[in-house]
Amino acid sequence: MTTDFEILRGLSEQERRDVLASCTPRRFKRREIVCHEGDLGDTLHLIKSGRMIVRVATPFGNTATLTMLGPGYSFGELALADRNSRRTATVEAIEDAETLSLSRAQLAALRERYPQIDRVIIGTLSAQVRRLSAQVLEALYLPVETRVVRRLVDLARIYGGPNPTAEIRLNQDDLASMAGTTRATANKVLRELQQREILTLTRGRITVVDRGALQRAAGQLAI
């Protein structure tokens, strides 16, 4: 099955084939670091399989989990925009994963051949800014319970795809960090959702059994 890469959707079929043909396949083992925060950013990664988690160091010396990326996602676009840019986060494979990597030199050659690639990259960066802005608004104005449920909706999409259920293999500490709250609060929300038979909890796994109900819960909590 061919992976549908979000960043390539604005290109023609021929352009997509040429971009993918220029990429270098990379494989990463579970818990392998793909890049460290502060590294020189010279490579764009398209995630073909597996899932990766994005973390940053806080001013207090702790580590915060920002988000998770799955097949079809990409990272490194911003680093490629500036020759002196550094990675803004650490990316770790949380399971065996495969990416298609594109170096700055490879991308430059493609941009000369297909100038519209610049438009696609700008569009991707703009979408990222919109998502980040939405998350800032959530952090400022939405109840913490709503943020936890909305992160669960995001994770269910990454793990479940089009399926009505999703098995999320993520610990509650990471979920809490993504929602900007404590593990105790995240656990409380999860227990309430379990009582409503929207999900089930086992060690290291959250199984969403009714994604439609989870999405409705996110909307209801936001009111």
Side-chain angles (χ1 to χ4, degrees):
M1 182 177 178
T2 303
T3 304
D4 178 23
F5 295 106
E6 183 179 358
I7 191 174
L8 303 183
R9 289 176 185 170
L11 300 178
S12 69
E13 183 62 32
Q14 182 61 52
E15 291 164 348
R16 284 195 295 271
R17 284 199 296 265
D18 286 353
V19 169
L20 294 175
S22 299
C23 291
T24 302
R26 298 279 305 278
R27 294 183 182 274
F28 300 93
K29 294 292 186 181
R30 179 173 178 266
R31 295 185 178 177
E32 185 175 352
I33 300 297
V34 181
C35 63
H36 288 275
E37 182 178 1
D39 285 351
L40 184 64
D42 59 357
T43 305
L44 167 68
H45 286 270
L46 310 179
I47 302 177
K48 184 177 180 180
S49 65
R51 296 170 183 86
M52 300 185 175
I53 203 159
V54 182
R55 296 188 173 101
V56 296
T58 72
F60 304 103
N62 301 318
T63 300
T65 301
L66 295 183
T67 191
M68 180 180 288
L69 305 173
Y73 287 69
S74 61
F75 61 92
E77 300 91 346
L78 185 59
L80 286 176
D82 181 357
R83 184 174 296 276
N84 298 315
S85 180
R86 299 282 173 173
R87 297 292 187 191
T88 58
T90 295
V91 180
E92 176 186 351
I94 61 171
E95 58 192 41
D96 290 351
E98 182 179 0
T99 71
L100 299 176
S101 66
L102 199 63
S103 70
R104 180 179 286 111
Q106 290 171 316
L107 181 62
L110 286 167
R111 290 167 66 185
E112 286 188 6
R113 185 174 180 183
Y114 301 118
Q116 55 269 42
I117 287 179
D118 284 343
R119 172 179 51 79
V120 172
I121 292 176
I122 291 172
T124 300
L125 292 174
S126 298
Q128 290 179 359
V129 170
R130 287 193 295 271
R131 283 195 292 266
L132 289 172
S133 298
Q135 289 180 3
V136 169
L137 288 174
E138 286 185 2
L140 290 173
Y141 298 110
L142 290 184
V144 63
E145 295 83 2
T146 302
R147 300 202 303 270
V148 172
V149 178
R150 290 195 173 187
R151 295 295 77 78
L152 283 171
V153 170
D154 294 339
L155 291 168
R157 181 173 60 252
I158 292 172
Y159 276 93
N163 300 318
T165 63
E167 186 179 88
I168 301 170
R169 301 182 182 183
L170 186 73
N171 63 54
Q172 294 184 23
D173 289 316
D174 282 324
L175 172 62
S177 183
M178 290 169 65
T181 187
T182 64
R183 187 184 189 281
T185 298
N187 181 262
K188 177 177 178 291
V189 175
L190 290 171
R191 294 294 177 187
E192 291 174 350
L193 292 172
Q194 182 171 239
Q195 290 177 355
R196 295 167 60 181
E197 299 183 343
I198 293 175
L199 55 78
T200 61
L201 301 173
T202 53
R203 185 176 179 82
R205 297 186 184 185
I206 304 166
T207 302
V208 179
V209 296
D210 190 340
R211 289 177 61 185
L214 182 66
Q215 292 172 335
R216 291 191 293 275
Q220 290 166 359
L221 287 170
I223 295 174

